[in-house]
Amino acid sequence: MSLLDTLVQGLLLGGLYALFALGLSLMFGVMRLTNTAQGDFIVLAAFAAIAIVSLVAAPPSVVALLLLPVAFAAGYALQRWVLNGTLGKDPLPSLVVTFGLSIVIQNALLEAFSADPRSLESGGLATQSVSVGPVTLGVLPLLIFGVAVVATAALQALFDRTALGRSFRAVSDDKEIAELMGLDAKKVYALATGIAFLVIALAGVFQAMRTTVSPSDGPLLLLFAFEAVIIGGMGSFWGTLVGALALGIVQQIGFRIDPGWGIWFGHLMFLAVLVVRPQGLFPKTRG
Amino acid sequence: MAALVETSGLTAFYGDAQALFGIDFRLEAGELVAIIGANGAGKSTFLKSLTGLVKVERDAVRFNGTPIGGAAPGQIVRQGLAMVPEGRRLFPSLSVEENLRMGANAGRSGPWNLQRLYKMFPILEQKKGTPGTALSGGQQQMVAIGRALMSNPTLLLCDELSLGLAPIVIKEIYDAMPAITAEGMSVVIVEQDVTVAQRVSQRVYCFQEGRVSLQGRSDQLTREQISLAYFGV
């Protein structure tokens, strides 16, 4: 495997990590809430997609379309009636509640699906490839990368150019004054989490198409998401994408040196960023 | 005839600490009333009680005859009560124009819009794309006033407009008041500068340790009366 190939494969892997991380970045950016169940929600979405396919035998694109509104509604409801009650100056309640949700999701999935790894039939996408010069690119990783870039651009545009994005930034800046302007912060938070769950659903579907998933995968996905967000800078969507791509590249370089070193290399870069630049590469919280 | 705003026996607490002790206050439509008092007298808490930021008994605050005590701030602003908070508190990540547009979230119609605000404060149009918090203190105060006016309120509450501003800027800010009140809008200003408060208002309430220590027509109160009510000596 050439160095160029390693870099390109790392970029594509980073695209998937960006999808893991964008929801985390959004929820932190708006509510200062760290969702420690992020990885488990991705795995939950993956199993939901697998369950839908077992029921209706639909292609992954249709499954994703079916899953998106459900994910939005679930995220909205979760924030509105569970997580809003944990928000305040003390971050501990939200950490404890999302950690609890993580345990509940893992055990519920174990009960419903057993510990066996499963995957989503991609209709041949996972095995198709295209050659660009000396590099061979998988069609599915390319698709995931493209969706990650589009999702990042869409979230940034939503934040920068729409009234809803203005509301997200306002409640994040000063909830009390935002409410004085007539905003219902709890509804705004719920909308933010609903949108974060759209990205979580996409991440779950792609993860299940790309590899196998099992109920206990969530914490590792959370770790990758968390590392990408910290490397990129908390709350910045383009920063999160760059952080995810950097993580993917470094992991891929590690894998190239030794198959057991990839994830470890990623952790090393994460620690290096924490020591040298703890605010991340692009610390701008909002657009 | 019901007052525009009336409080009767208004009490407010921060946890176990009582900040207001039975405030009776009345403001008629079209009036400009000043509230003066030393730091900690309860002036800001009183305004927060009117806007829903501090929870109080439902019947303790009436707006146009309707009990609004303890209602959500969003509900209160939609009824026509807007506030310019102490310290401006602009949204740092929003531009000047975005800050102003936030005021329109209340969805009330009326004479105040971006064009009219830019006419009153032309500097804001020049800096409409600049982050609000990058402006000078006086310009930030103009944005804070404009943001509140964008909700087209019936009553505007202004908390410490002159705080931290140069005298010439304070004059510029208060010179805008006649344009604001010209169409019948009522205004309550909280002000530590007694001279300014007496000059711009029709009536004055003086607060001391959470109670009304003096009230009367601005042009009839003497400096000695105010000094006694203000400092208690």
Side-chain angles (χ1 to χ4, degrees):
Chain A
M1 185 188 269
S2 70
L3 181 62
L4 177 63
D5 195 42
T6 301
L7 292 176
V8 171
Q9 300 308 330
L11 277 177
L12 297 181
L13 180 61
L16 182 65
Y17 290 169
L19 288 177
F20 292 169
L22 282 171
L24 198 66
S25 184
L26 172 61
M27 290 176 73
F28 183 81
V30 176
M31 292 159 280
R32 299 290 182 266
L33 185 153
T34 305
N35 176 16
T36 55
Q38 172 83 5
D40 299 288
F41 282 119
I42 293 169
V43 173
L44 181 63
F47 274 100
I50 291 165
I52 291 172
V53 167
S54 71
L55 289 174
V56 297
S61 55
V62 174
V63 172
L65 284 177
L66 289 172
L67 204 52
L68 286 175
V70 178
F72 178 86
Y76 185 96
L78 176 72
Q79 185 66 47
R80 192 75 205 267
W81 290 290
V82 180
L83 297 180
N84 274 340
T86 70
L87 296 177
K89 285 179 183 167
D90 184 359
L92 195 58
S94 61
L95 287 172
V96 170
V97 168
T98 54
F99 184 68
L101 284 170
S102 160
I103 295 169
V104 169
I105 292 168
Q106 286 181 44
N107 284 283
L109 288 176
L110 262 178
E111 192 67 32
F113 295 94
S114 81
D116 295 339
R118 293 161 193 255
S119 65
L120 193 61
E121 176 53 49
S122 65
L125 264 183
T127 53
Q128 291 172 16
S129 63
V130 290
S131 291
V132 181
V135 181
T136 301
L137 304 171
V139 170
L140 180 60
L142 262 181
L143 175 67
I144 295 171
F145 182 82
V147 170
V149 172
V150 169
T152 305
L155 284 176
Q156 198 67 59
L158 174 79
F159 253 60
D160 292 348
R161 296 178 193 168
T162 67
L164 181 60
R166 201 160 63 223
S167 301
F168 285 159
R169 285 181 281 148
V171 293
S172 171
D173 282 346
D174 193 330
K175 173 176 171 277
E176 189 176 79
I177 298 300
E179 289 188 321
L180 264 187
M181 301 294 120
L183 288 180
D184 182 339
K186 289 183 175 176
K187 275 188 190 168
V188 175
Y189 289 160
L191 287 170
T193 303
I195 293 168
F197 270 56
L198 292 177
V199 187
I200 283 173
L202 288 174
V205 170
F206 282 132
Q207 174 71 353
M209 288 170 71
R210 183 180 162 276
T211 182
T212 57
V213 288
S214 67
S216 57
D217 286 353
L220 186 62
L221 305 191
L222 168 69
L223 190 59
F224 294 157
F226 198 65
E227 287 179 344
V229 173
I230 295 291
I231 292 168
M234 281 291 219
S236 159
F237 298 119
W238 288 114
T240 298
L241 178 67
V242 172
L245 298 182
L247 182 67
I249 289 170
V250 169
Q251 280 191 1
Q252 207 64 39
I253 291 170
F255 284 132
R256 188 186 179 200
I257 295 169
D258 184 294
W261 285 10
I263 292 173
W264 183 66
F265 261 47
H267 297 338
L268 276 183
M269 184 176 72
F270 168 64
L271 289 174
V273 169
L274 271 185
V275 171
V276 177
R277 197 174 161 81
Q279 71 273 35
L281 301 176
F282 302 93
K284 191 177 174 186
T285 302
R286 288 162 293 277
Chain B
M1 182 182 158
L4 182 63
V5 170
E6 187 171 23
T7 70
S8 51
L10 176 67
T11 56
F13 294 82
Y14 291 109
D16 292 334
Q18 188 164 1
L20 297 179
F21 298 82
I23 300 286
D24 294 327
F25 176 93
R26 188 179 170 90
L27 176 132
E28 306 296 338
E31 265 195 309
L32 198 161
V33 168
I35 300 174
I36 58 175
N39 282 336
K43 310 181 297 294
S44 296
T45 302
F46 177 69
L47 293 196
K48 287 180 177 178
S49 301
L50 300 185
T51 53
L53 292 179
V54 170
K55 296 303 173 197
V56 295
E57 295 267 336
R58 178 174 160 78
D59 286 325
V61 182
R62 287 180 176 270
F63 185 60
N64 273 327
T66 307
I68 60 164
Q75 283 180 307
I76 292 175
V77 73
R78 278 189 282 276
Q79 290 191 41
L81 204 155
M83 183 158 98
V84 182
E86 181 180 356
R88 280 87 71 175
R89 291 176 68 175
L90 302 186
F91 300 110
S93 65
L94 270 60
S95 68
V96 167
E97 187 158 310
E98 286 177 324
N99 265 284
L100 294 173
R101 285 186 187 279
M102 283 303 297
N105 274 315
R108 289 171 57 86
S109 58
W112 292 99
N113 52 34
L114 279 177
Q115 288 69 35
R116 184 155 179 200
L117 284 173
Y118 287 152
K119 194 174 171 188
M120 185 164 74
F121 300 125
I123 187 70
L124 298 188
E125 185 165 23
Q126 293 169 32
K127 302 205 171 188
K128 63 183 178 183
T130 309
T133 47
L135 303 182
S136 70
Q139 291 165 356
Q140 285 189 36
Q141 194 62 277
M142 292 172 193
V143 178
I145 293 170
R147 186 177 62 178
L149 290 174
M150 283 288 283
S151 70
N152 281 292
T154 314
L155 171 61
L156 182 66
L157 308 174
C158 302
D159 196 355
E160 304 272 15
L161 286 183
S162 61
L163 194 68
L165 301 182
I168 191 167
V169 180
I170 297 171
K171 182 176 181 306
E172 191 180 355
I173 297 282
Y174 276 110
D175 281 350
M177 276 298 162
I180 293 170
T181 55
E183 291 175 53
M185 188 186 300
S186 305
V187 180
V188 175
I189 58 165
V190 159
E191 184 56 73
Q192 289 203 31
D193 187 327
V194 176
T195 308
V196 169
Q198 277 193 289
R199 177 169 58 82
V200 301
S201 68
Q202 290 137 22
R203 286 193 301 124
V204 170
Y205 280 82
C206 189
F207 279 32
Q208 191 185 84
E209 295 179 351
R211 295 175 174 85
V212 174
S213 55
L214 177 73
Q215 61 168 303
R217 290 196 56 82
S218 306
D219 53 4
Q220 291 174 354
L221 295 176
T222 65
R223 297 300 295 221
E224 290 71 26
Q225 284 176 306
I226 290 175
S227 180
L228 183 65
Y230 197 111
F231 298 109
V233 289

